[in-house]
Amino acid sequence: MVAIMTGMHTEAPPARRPVRQLLAASVGNAVEWYDWYAYTFLATYIADQVFPESADNSLVPLLSTFAVFAVGFFMRPVGGLLMGAIADRRGRRAALTVTILLMGGSSLLVGLTPTYAAAGVLAPVVLVVARLLQGLSVGGEFAASTTFLVESAGPGRRGLFSSFQYVSTTAGQLVASGVATVLVNSLSEERMNGWGWRVPFVLGAALSLVGFWIRQGARETRSEEQRQAPRPGLFEALRRHPRESLLICGITAGGTIAYYTWTSYLPTYAELNTGLAKSDALLAGTISLAFFALLQPVGGMLSDRFGRRPLLLFFGLGFALLSVGLLHALRDSFAVLLLVQCAGMILLTGFTSISAAVNAEIFPPRVRAAGIGFPYSLTVALFGGTAPYVGTLFKDLGHSGLFPWYVAVLCLLSSLVYLRLPETAHKELER
Protein backbone atom coordinates (compact mmCIF):
# COMPACT_ATOMS: atom_id res chain seq x y z
CA MET A 1 0.00 0.00 0.00
CA VAL A 2 2.87 2.38 0.77
CA ALA A 3 4.24 1.74 -2.70
CA ILE A 4 0.86 2.53 -4.21
CA MET A 5 0.68 5.77 -2.23
CA THR A 6 4.18 6.98 -3.04
CA GLY A 7 4.71 5.62 -6.54
CA MET A 8 1.94 7.66 -8.14
CA HIS A 9 3.66 11.02 -7.76
CA THR A 10 5.54 10.81 -11.05
CA GLU A 11 2.51 10.22 -13.28
CA ALA A 12 1.32 12.52 -16.03
CA PRO A 13 -1.50 15.02 -15.63
CA PRO A 14 -4.95 13.43 -15.75
CA ALA A 15 -6.39 15.82 -18.33
CA ARG A 16 -4.69 13.82 -21.09
CA ARG A 17 -6.91 10.82 -20.40
CA PRO A 18 -10.30 12.18 -19.29
CA VAL A 19 -12.32 9.11 -20.31
CA ARG A 20 -10.03 6.78 -18.39
CA GLN A 21 -10.21 9.10 -15.39
CA LEU A 22 -14.01 9.03 -15.50
CA LEU A 23 -14.01 5.25 -15.82
CA ALA A 24 -11.63 4.75 -12.89
CA ALA A 25 -13.71 6.97 -10.61
CA SER A 26 -17.11 5.83 -11.84
CA VAL A 27 -16.66 2.05 -11.87
CA GLY A 28 -15.12 1.98 -8.42
CA ASN A 29 -17.74 4.37 -7.07
CA ALA A 30 -20.55 2.24 -8.54
CA VAL A 31 -19.19 -0.85 -6.80
CA GLU A 32 -18.89 1.04 -3.50
CA TRP A 33 -22.49 2.21 -3.62
CA TYR A 34 -23.82 -1.13 -4.82
CA ASP A 35 -22.47 -2.64 -1.61
CA TRP A 36 -23.90 0.19 0.50
CA TYR A 37 -27.40 0.18 -1.00
CA ALA A 38 -27.92 -3.56 -1.14
CA TYR A 39 -28.55 -3.32 2.60
CA THR A 40 -31.45 -0.89 2.12
CA PHE A 41 -33.22 -2.93 -0.54
CA LEU A 42 -33.01 -6.10 1.53
CA ALA A 43 -33.76 -4.49 4.90
CA THR A 44 -36.95 -6.44 5.54
CA TYR A 45 -35.17 -9.79 5.05
CA ILE A 46 -32.22 -8.78 7.22
CA ALA A 47 -34.69 -7.70 9.91
CA ASP A 48 -36.33 -11.13 9.94
CA GLN A 49 -33.05 -13.02 10.23
CA VAL A 50 -30.72 -10.89 12.34
CA PHE A 51 -32.99 -9.26 14.94
CA PRO A 52 -35.37 -10.90 17.44
CA GLU A 53 -39.12 -10.48 16.93
CA SER A 54 -41.24 -8.51 19.37
CA ALA A 55 -44.55 -9.93 20.52
CA ASP A 56 -45.91 -6.39 20.96
CA ASN A 57 -44.78 -4.67 17.76
CA SER A 58 -44.03 -6.24 14.37
CA LEU A 59 -42.09 -3.14 13.28
CA VAL A 60 -39.37 -3.57 15.94
CA PRO A 61 -37.03 -5.76 13.79
CA LEU A 62 -37.39 -3.35 10.83
CA LEU A 63 -36.77 -0.34 13.07
CA SER A 64 -33.65 -2.09 14.40
CA THR A 65 -32.44 -2.74 10.86
CA PHE A 66 -32.87 0.90 9.88
CA ALA A 67 -31.19 1.96 13.13
CA VAL A 68 -28.12 -0.02 12.04
CA PHE A 69 -28.43 1.67 8.63
CA ALA A 70 -28.28 5.03 10.43
CA VAL A 71 -25.38 3.94 12.66
CA GLY A 72 -23.32 3.17 9.56
CA PHE A 73 -23.88 6.73 8.42
CA PHE A 74 -22.30 8.10 11.57
CA MET A 75 -18.99 6.51 10.60
CA ARG A 76 -19.09 8.41 7.33
CA PRO A 77 -17.79 11.69 8.82
CA VAL A 78 -14.88 9.76 10.30
CA GLY A 79 -14.24 8.18 6.91
CA GLY A 80 -14.54 11.54 5.19
CA LEU A 81 -11.99 13.02 7.57
CA LEU A 82 -9.49 10.13 7.57
CA MET A 83 -9.68 9.20 3.89
CA GLY A 84 -9.86 12.87 2.94
CA ALA A 85 -6.62 13.39 4.86
CA ILE A 86 -5.03 10.50 2.94
CA ALA A 87 -6.22 12.06 -0.33
CA ASP A 88 -4.77 15.46 0.63
CA ARG A 89 -1.50 14.02 1.96
CA ARG A 90 -0.82 10.97 -0.23
CA GLY A 91 -2.98 11.57 -3.27
CA ARG A 92 -6.53 11.03 -4.47
CA ARG A 93 -5.82 7.62 -5.97
CA ALA A 94 -4.34 6.28 -2.74
CA ALA A 95 -7.54 7.09 -0.86
CA LEU A 96 -9.70 5.57 -3.60
CA THR A 97 -7.68 2.36 -3.37
CA VAL A 98 -8.13 2.07 0.39
CA THR A 99 -11.86 2.78 0.31
CA ILE A 100 -12.77 0.14 -2.24
CA LEU A 101 -10.80 -2.61 -0.49
CA LEU A 102 -12.42 -1.69 2.81
CA MET A 103 -15.87 -1.78 1.24
CA GLY A 104 -15.27 -5.21 -0.27
CA GLY A 105 -14.26 -6.69 3.08
CA SER A 106 -17.20 -5.17 4.95
CA SER A 107 -19.68 -6.29 2.29
CA LEU A 108 -18.44 -9.86 2.64
CA LEU A 109 -18.90 -9.57 6.41
CA VAL A 110 -22.57 -8.59 5.93
CA GLY A 111 -23.07 -11.59 3.66
CA LEU A 112 -21.60 -13.90 6.30
CA THR A 113 -23.52 -12.43 9.27
CA PRO A 114 -25.09 -15.26 11.30
CA THR A 115 -28.81 -15.32 12.07
CA TYR A 116 -30.19 -14.44 15.48
CA ALA A 117 -31.52 -17.98 15.80
CA ALA A 118 -28.01 -19.40 15.31
CA ALA A 119 -25.82 -16.92 17.18
CA GLY A 120 -28.10 -14.82 19.38
CA VAL A 121 -26.91 -11.31 20.16
CA LEU A 122 -23.68 -11.91 18.22
CA ALA A 123 -25.67 -11.62 14.97
CA PRO A 124 -26.63 -7.93 15.30
CA VAL A 125 -23.15 -7.19 16.70
CA VAL A 126 -21.50 -8.56 13.54
CA LEU A 127 -23.93 -6.61 11.39
CA VAL A 128 -23.20 -3.37 13.25
CA VAL A 129 -19.43 -3.85 12.84
CA ALA A 130 -19.85 -4.50 9.11
CA ARG A 131 -21.99 -1.39 8.66
CA LEU A 132 -19.52 0.74 10.62
CA LEU A 133 -16.74 -0.36 8.26
CA GLN A 134 -18.96 0.31 5.26
CA GLY A 135 -19.71 3.78 6.61
CA LEU A 136 -16.00 4.47 6.99
CA SER A 137 -15.43 3.43 3.40
CA VAL A 138 -18.34 5.34 1.87
CA GLY A 139 -17.48 8.55 3.73
CA GLY A 140 -13.95 8.39 2.39
CA GLU A 141 -15.13 7.44 -1.09
CA PHE A 142 -17.20 10.56 -1.52
CA ALA A 143 -14.41 12.85 -0.33
CA ALA A 144 -11.78 11.30 -2.60
CA SER A 145 -13.89 10.65 -5.71
CA THR A 146 -15.53 14.09 -5.64
CA THR A 147 -12.13 15.76 -5.59
CA PHE A 148 -10.70 13.35 -8.15
CA LEU A 149 -13.54 13.86 -10.65
CA VAL A 150 -13.63 17.64 -10.52
CA GLU A 151 -9.84 17.95 -10.70
CA SER A 152 -9.85 15.63 -13.74
CA ALA A 153 -12.21 17.93 -15.67
CA GLY A 154 -11.12 20.32 -18.38
CA PRO A 155 -12.16 24.00 -18.52
CA GLY A 156 -15.93 24.49 -18.55
CA ARG A 157 -16.64 20.81 -17.89
CA ARG A 158 -16.56 20.55 -14.10
CA GLY A 159 -20.35 20.28 -13.87
CA LEU A 160 -20.43 17.51 -16.47
CA PHE A 161 -17.64 15.57 -14.79
CA SER A 162 -19.16 16.04 -11.34
CA SER A 163 -22.46 14.61 -12.58
CA PHE A 164 -20.74 11.24 -12.96
CA GLN A 165 -20.51 11.09 -9.16
CA TYR A 166 -24.23 10.37 -9.08
CA VAL A 167 -24.30 8.55 -12.42
CA SER A 168 -22.01 5.95 -10.90
CA THR A 169 -23.68 6.10 -7.49
CA THR A 170 -27.03 5.51 -9.15
CA ALA A 171 -25.59 2.75 -11.33
CA GLY A 172 -24.46 0.93 -8.19
CA GLN A 173 -27.82 1.49 -6.56
CA LEU A 174 -29.59 0.38 -9.74
CA VAL A 175 -27.65 -2.86 -9.89
CA ALA A 176 -28.37 -3.47 -6.20
CA SER A 177 -32.07 -2.82 -6.76
CA GLY A 178 -32.09 -5.00 -9.88
CA VAL A 179 -30.34 -7.90 -8.15
CA ALA A 180 -32.76 -7.64 -5.21
CA THR A 181 -35.75 -7.55 -7.58
CA VAL A 182 -34.55 -10.64 -9.49
CA LEU A 183 -33.97 -12.55 -6.27
CA VAL A 184 -37.36 -11.60 -4.79
CA ASN A 185 -39.18 -12.59 -7.98
CA SER A 186 -37.29 -15.83 -8.60
CA LEU A 187 -36.83 -17.30 -5.11
CA SER A 188 -39.43 -18.43 -2.63
CA GLU A 189 -39.87 -16.50 0.61
CA GLU A 190 -38.22 -19.37 2.47
CA ARG A 191 -35.12 -19.32 0.27
CA MET A 192 -34.87 -15.53 0.39
CA ASN A 193 -34.95 -15.63 4.18
CA GLY A 194 -32.56 -18.59 4.27
CA TRP A 195 -29.73 -17.61 1.92
CA GLY A 196 -31.03 -15.42 -0.91
CA TRP A 197 -30.52 -12.11 0.91
CA ARG A 198 -26.82 -12.93 1.37
CA VAL A 199 -26.05 -13.29 -2.35
CA PRO A 200 -25.84 -9.55 -3.22
CA PHE A 201 -23.28 -8.92 -0.47
CA VAL A 202 -20.99 -11.77 -1.50
CA LEU A 203 -21.28 -10.57 -5.10
CA GLY A 204 -20.41 -7.05 -3.94
CA ALA A 205 -17.20 -8.29 -2.34
CA ALA A 206 -16.15 -9.87 -5.65
CA LEU A 207 -17.01 -6.71 -7.61
CA SER A 208 -14.84 -4.65 -5.25
CA LEU A 209 -11.78 -6.52 -6.53
CA VAL A 210 -12.75 -5.54 -10.08
CA GLY A 211 -13.03 -1.89 -9.01
CA PHE A 212 -9.64 -2.10 -7.30
CA TRP A 213 -8.03 -3.38 -10.49
CA ILE A 214 -9.56 -0.62 -12.64
CA ARG A 215 -8.45 2.10 -10.25
CA GLN A 216 -4.83 1.06 -10.62
CA GLY A 217 -4.94 2.67 -14.07
CA ALA A 218 -6.02 6.08 -12.75
CA ARG A 219 -3.64 9.04 -12.77
CA GLU A 220 -3.12 11.29 -9.79
CA THR A 221 -4.83 14.72 -9.96
CA ARG A 222 -2.97 16.57 -7.21
CA SER A 223 -0.72 19.21 -8.72
CA GLU A 224 3.04 19.00 -8.33
CA GLU A 225 2.92 22.14 -6.20
CA GLN A 226 0.55 20.50 -3.76
CA ARG A 227 2.70 17.37 -3.62
CA GLN A 228 5.74 19.39 -2.63
CA ALA A 229 3.86 21.51 -0.06
CA PRO A 230 3.85 20.60 3.66
CA ARG A 231 1.18 18.04 4.51
CA PRO A 232 -2.00 19.52 6.00
CA GLY A 233 -3.05 18.62 9.54
CA LEU A 234 -5.98 16.30 10.14
CA PHE A 235 -8.30 19.11 11.30
CA GLU A 236 -6.76 21.93 9.27
CA ALA A 237 -9.78 22.32 6.98
CA LEU A 238 -12.16 22.74 9.91
CA ARG A 239 -9.80 25.03 11.80
CA ARG A 240 -8.92 27.36 8.93
CA HIS A 241 -12.16 27.19 6.91
CA PRO A 242 -15.10 27.07 9.36
CA ARG A 243 -17.37 29.17 7.12
CA GLU A 244 -16.83 26.88 4.13
CA SER A 245 -17.50 23.83 6.32
CA LEU A 246 -20.82 25.28 7.53
CA LEU A 247 -21.70 26.24 3.99
CA ILE A 248 -21.36 22.63 2.84
CA CYS A 249 -23.64 21.55 5.70
CA GLY A 250 -26.31 24.01 4.59
CA ILE A 251 -25.99 23.03 0.94
CA THR A 252 -26.27 19.33 1.75
CA ALA A 253 -29.05 19.12 4.37
CA GLY A 254 -32.02 19.39 2.01
CA GLY A 255 -30.30 17.44 -0.75
CA THR A 256 -29.49 14.44 1.40
CA ILE A 257 -32.95 14.05 2.97
CA ALA A 258 -34.58 14.31 -0.47
CA TYR A 259 -32.05 11.95 -2.03
CA TYR A 260 -32.34 9.15 0.50
CA THR A 261 -36.11 9.50 0.71
CA TRP A 262 -36.61 9.25 -3.04
CA THR A 263 -33.88 6.83 -4.06
CA SER A 264 -33.73 4.45 -1.08
CA TYR A 265 -36.64 4.71 1.33
CA LEU A 266 -39.61 5.38 -0.97
CA PRO A 267 -40.28 1.69 -1.86
CA THR A 268 -40.37 0.81 1.85
CA TYR A 269 -42.41 3.95 2.62
CA ALA A 270 -44.95 2.87 -0.02
CA GLU A 271 -45.11 -0.65 1.43
CA LEU A 272 -45.71 0.63 4.96
CA ASN A 273 -48.25 3.35 4.11
CA THR A 274 -50.17 2.01 1.10
CA GLY A 275 -49.81 -1.77 1.30
CA LEU A 276 -48.11 -1.95 -2.11
CA ALA A 277 -46.54 -5.33 -2.86
CA LYS A 278 -42.83 -5.57 -2.10
CA SER A 279 -41.96 -6.74 -5.63
CA ASP A 280 -43.89 -3.86 -7.25
CA ALA A 281 -42.20 -1.32 -4.97
CA LEU A 282 -38.73 -2.64 -5.86
CA LEU A 283 -39.51 -2.66 -9.58
CA ALA A 284 -40.75 0.94 -9.51
CA GLY A 285 -37.59 1.93 -7.66
CA THR A 286 -35.41 0.22 -10.25
CA ILE A 287 -37.08 1.93 -13.22
CA SER A 288 -36.99 5.38 -11.63
CA LEU A 289 -33.30 4.98 -10.78
CA ALA A 290 -32.47 4.26 -14.43
CA PHE A 291 -34.34 7.44 -15.38
CA PHE A 292 -32.46 9.36 -12.69
CA ALA A 293 -29.05 8.22 -13.95
CA LEU A 294 -29.82 9.48 -17.46
CA LEU A 295 -30.70 12.94 -16.11
CA GLN A 296 -27.39 13.56 -14.34
CA PRO A 297 -25.15 14.58 -17.29
CA VAL A 298 -27.93 16.85 -18.55
CA GLY A 299 -27.96 18.68 -15.21
CA GLY A 300 -24.17 18.89 -15.16
CA MET A 301 -24.00 20.42 -18.66
CA LEU A 302 -26.77 22.89 -17.87
CA SER A 303 -24.85 24.05 -14.80
CA ASP A 304 -21.67 24.55 -16.85
CA ARG A 305 -23.61 26.87 -19.14
CA PHE A 306 -26.05 28.65 -16.81
CA GLY A 307 -24.42 28.27 -13.39
CA ARG A 308 -24.80 26.15 -10.27
CA ARG A 309 -27.20 28.34 -8.28
CA PRO A 310 -30.21 28.16 -10.68
CA LEU A 311 -30.18 24.36 -10.54
CA LEU A 312 -29.83 24.28 -6.77
CA LEU A 313 -32.82 26.63 -6.40
CA PHE A 314 -34.83 24.51 -8.86
CA PHE A 315 -34.21 21.55 -6.58
CA GLY A 316 -34.65 23.21 -3.20
CA LEU A 317 -37.75 25.26 -3.89
CA GLY A 318 -39.27 22.46 -5.95
CA PHE A 319 -39.06 20.01 -3.06
CA ALA A 320 -40.13 22.59 -0.50
CA LEU A 321 -43.33 23.20 -2.48
CA LEU A 322 -44.08 19.75 -3.90
CA SER A 323 -42.71 16.99 -1.65
CA VAL A 324 -45.74 16.93 0.68
CA GLY A 325 -48.18 16.66 -2.21
CA LEU A 326 -46.11 14.01 -3.97
CA LEU A 327 -45.77 11.76 -0.92
CA HIS A 328 -49.44 12.16 0.02
CA ALA A 329 -50.39 11.18 -3.54
CA LEU A 330 -49.01 7.64 -3.07
CA ARG A 331 -51.58 4.87 -3.43
CA ASP A 332 -51.62 1.09 -3.65
CA SER A 333 -50.62 1.46 -7.29
CA PHE A 334 -47.43 0.67 -9.15
CA ALA A 335 -48.09 3.43 -11.72
CA VAL A 336 -48.66 6.11 -9.09
CA LEU A 337 -45.49 5.18 -7.20
CA LEU A 338 -43.48 5.26 -10.43
CA LEU A 339 -44.84 8.70 -11.37
CA VAL A 340 -44.13 10.10 -7.89
CA GLN A 341 -40.60 8.73 -7.96
CA CYS A 342 -39.82 10.07 -11.44
CA ALA A 343 -41.21 13.52 -10.61
CA GLY A 344 -38.96 13.65 -7.56
CA MET A 345 -35.97 12.48 -9.60
CA ILE A 346 -36.33 15.42 -11.99
CA LEU A 347 -36.27 17.90 -9.11
CA LEU A 348 -33.49 16.04 -7.33
CA THR A 349 -31.19 16.28 -10.35
CA GLY A 350 -30.81 20.00 -9.64
CA PHE A 351 -28.81 19.01 -6.57
CA THR A 352 -27.18 15.67 -7.34
CA SER A 353 -25.78 16.50 -10.78
CA ILE A 354 -23.64 19.36 -9.45
CA SER A 355 -23.07 18.78 -5.74
CA ALA A 356 -19.56 17.41 -6.35
CA ALA A 357 -18.59 20.50 -8.36
CA VAL A 358 -20.16 22.91 -5.87
CA ASN A 359 -18.33 21.28 -2.95
CA ALA A 360 -14.97 21.13 -4.72
CA GLU A 361 -15.20 24.75 -5.81
CA ILE A 362 -15.62 25.92 -2.21
CA PHE A 363 -12.33 24.58 -0.74
CA PRO A 364 -8.70 25.23 -1.76
CA PRO A 365 -6.76 22.20 -3.09
CA ARG A 366 -4.53 21.80 -0.04
CA VAL A 367 -7.45 20.59 2.13
CA ARG A 368 -10.08 19.98 -0.54
CA ALA A 369 -10.78 16.28 0.09
CA ALA A 370 -10.85 16.43 3.89
CA GLY A 371 -12.63 19.79 3.78
CA ILE A 372 -15.43 18.29 1.70
CA GLY A 373 -15.50 14.88 3.35
CA PHE A 374 -16.19 15.69 7.00
CA PRO A 375 -18.97 18.34 6.86
CA TYR A 376 -20.68 16.64 3.94
CA SER A 377 -20.67 13.20 5.55
CA LEU A 378 -21.73 14.59 8.93
CA THR A 379 -24.74 16.28 7.36
CA VAL A 380 -25.63 13.13 5.42
CA ALA A 381 -25.42 11.13 8.66
CA LEU A 382 -27.71 13.54 10.52
CA PHE A 383 -30.38 13.92 7.85
CA GLY A 384 -29.90 11.34 5.09
CA GLY A 385 -28.91 8.27 7.08
CA THR A 386 -31.74 8.77 9.54
CA ALA A 387 -34.45 9.27 6.87
CA PRO A 388 -35.64 5.63 6.75
CA TYR A 389 -35.63 5.42 10.54
CA VAL A 390 -37.49 8.71 11.00
CA GLY A 391 -40.07 7.79 8.37
CA THR A 392 -40.66 4.35 9.92
CA LEU A 393 -40.78 5.86 13.41
CA PHE A 394 -43.45 8.39 12.35
CA LYS A 395 -45.47 5.45 11.02
CA ASP A 396 -44.97 3.50 14.25
CA LEU A 397 -46.17 6.51 16.27
CA GLY A 398 -49.24 6.92 14.09
CA HIS A 399 -48.11 10.18 12.46
CA SER A 400 -46.83 9.07 9.05
CA GLY A 401 -48.20 12.30 7.49
CA LEU A 402 -45.53 14.35 9.29
CA PHE A 403 -42.62 12.84 7.38
CA PRO A 404 -43.31 14.69 4.08
CA TRP A 405 -43.34 17.98 6.01
CA TYR A 406 -40.01 17.10 7.56
CA VAL A 407 -38.54 16.70 4.05
CA ALA A 408 -40.10 19.96 2.82
CA VAL A 409 -38.81 22.08 5.73
CA LEU A 410 -35.21 20.88 5.32
CA CYS A 411 -35.31 21.61 1.59
CA LEU A 412 -36.67 25.09 2.28
CA LEU A 413 -33.83 25.80 4.73
CA SER A 414 -31.24 24.69 2.18
CA SER A 415 -32.90 26.94 -0.42
CA LEU A 416 -32.15 29.93 1.79
CA VAL A 417 -28.45 28.93 1.65
CA TYR A 418 -28.59 28.58 -2.15
CA LEU A 419 -29.96 32.12 -2.47
CA ARG A 420 -26.81 33.55 -0.88
CA LEU A 421 -24.36 31.13 -2.50
CA PRO A 422 -21.76 32.82 -4.76
CA GLU A 423 -21.69 31.54 -8.33
CA THR A 424 -18.55 29.48 -9.04
CA ALA A 425 -19.33 27.73 -12.32
CA HIS A 426 -17.27 30.03 -14.53
CA LYS A 427 -14.35 30.59 -12.20
CA GLU A 428 -11.08 28.75 -12.74
CA LEU A 429 -10.56 25.91 -10.27
CA GLU A 430 -7.54 26.40 -8.04
CA ARG A 431 -5.18 23.43 -8.29
Side-chain angles (χ1 to χ4, degrees):
M1 184 62 66
V2 173
I4 293 173
M5 290 180 177
T6 57
M8 67 183 70
H9 288 184
T10 60
E11 295 177 326
R16 298 178 185 175
R17 303 193 302 175
V19 174
R20 189 166 183 176
Q21 293 293 99
L22 281 176
L23 183 65
S26 299
V27 173
N29 195 48
V31 172
E32 284 262 354
W33 289 98
Y34 163 86
D35 290 339
W36 179 257
Y37 281 118
Y39 183 95
T40 307
F41 292 120
L42 296 164
T44 53
Y45 296 101
I46 296 172
D48 291 339
Q49 297 302 306
V50 178
F51 294 96
E53 292 185 7
S54 170
D56 300 324
N57 191 338
S58 61
L59 284 177
V60 166
L62 185 59
L63 280 169
S64 299
T65 307
F66 282 140
V68 175
F69 180 77
V71 164
F73 271 84
F74 282 94
M75 281 299 287
R76 288 178 62 168
V78 179
L81 187 63
L82 294 179
M83 299 302 168
I86 291 176
D88 289 332
R89 295 178 179 186
R90 297 289 188 178
R92 317 315 189 197
R93 198 182 73 174
L96 291 174
T97 298
V98 175
T99 57
I100 200 164
L101 290 177
L102 186 60
M103 179 58 80
S106 54
S107 180
L108 182 61
L109 188 58
V110 174
L112 299 178
T113 298
T115 64
Y116 187 84
V121 73
L122 179 63
V125 169
V126 171
L127 185 64
V128 167
V129 170
R131 286 300 288 181
L132 289 175
L133 292 175
Q134 284 188 324
L136 190 71
S137 174
V138 165
E141 173 69 19
F142 183 87
S145 64
T146 291
T147 307
F148 179 84
L149 274 171
V150 176
E151 290 178 348
S152 295
R157 302 179 70 186
R158 294 197 302 268
L160 175 61
F161 269 55
S162 80
S163 71
F164 280 86
Q165 176 74 32
Y166 276 92
V167 170
S168 55
T169 296
T170 305
Q173 190 173 0
L174 185 61
V175 173
S177 176
V179 169
T181 301
V182 169
L183 288 170
V184 168
N185 289 328
S186 60
L187 296 179
S188 65
E189 193 74 10
E190 181 180 0
R191 289 182 176 178
M192 273 301 301
N193 282 317
W195 54 267
W197 67 269
R198 301 178 184 275
V199 172
F201 300 104
V202 176
L203 176 62
L207 290 175
S208 295
L209 296 178
V210 176
F212 169 77
W213 175 73
I214 291 174
R215 283 186 167 174
Q216 297 313 293
R219 291 185 181 271
E220 182 54 54
T221 62
R222 265 197 323 165
S223 67
E224 186 63 32
E225 182 182 354
Q226 292 302 320
R227 296 170 191 170
Q228 299 299 327
R231 294 177 182 176
L234 184 61
F235 297 100
E236 184 172 326
L238 290 172
R239 191 174 62 252
R240 293 194 176 185
H241 303 279
R243 180 184 177 277
E244 288 83 355
S245 298
L246 289 174
L247 193 59
I248 285 186
C249 292
I251 291 168
T252 306
T256 190
I257 184 67
Y259 177 77
Y260 281 99
T261 297
W262 247 259
T263 65
S264 301
Y265 180 55
L266 203 56
T268 302
Y269 182 85
E271 288 178 47
L272 292 176
N273 291 282
T274 70
L276 189 68
K278 187 181 302 181
S279 58
D280 285 345
L282 283 172
L283 180 58
T286 302
I287 295 172
S288 64
L289 282 172
F291 174 65
F292 182 61
L294 294 174
L295 292 174
Q296 300 310 297
V298 177
M301 288 188 289
L302 287 173
S303 80
D304 283 333
R305 182 169 183 179
F306 300 109
R308 318 293 189 219
R309 189 165 53 186
L311 267 75
L312 290 172
L313 288 171
F314 168 75
F315 152 73
L317 295 177
F319 262 100
L321 295 172
L322 300 176
S323 59
V324 173
L326 287 172
L327 290 176
H328 282 166
L330 289 173
R331 299 288 183 271
D332 184 7
S333 165
F334 170 82
V336 171
L337 174 59
L338 183 59
L339 286 173
V340 168
Q341 285 200 278
C342 288
M345 298 303 193
I346 294 172
L347 294 173
L348 189 57
T349 297
F351 171 79
T352 54
S353 63
I354 59 172
S355 64
V358 172
N359 290 338
E361 288 162 352
I362 287 175
F363 275 94
R366 174 178 167 81
V367 293
R368 182 170 286 146
I372 293 170
F374 182 76
Y376 175 88
S377 296
L378 180 62
T379 308
V380 171
L382 289 172
F383 300 108
T386 58
Y389 184 83
V390 171
T392 306
L393 183 61
F394 277 140
K395 171 65 175 178
D396 186 41
L397 297 174
H399 299 291
S400 58
L402 292 178
F403 182 69
W405 288 101
Y406 173 64
V407 176
V409 168
L410 284 176
C411 290
L412 179 60
L413 293 175
S414 282
S415 296
L416 299 177
V417 177
Y418 304 152
L419 282 170
R420 299 181 60 83
L421 192 67
E423 184 58 68
T424 56
H426 304 120
K427 293 181 179 180
E428 185 176 350
L429 185 72
E430 185 183 353
R431 296 182 184 275

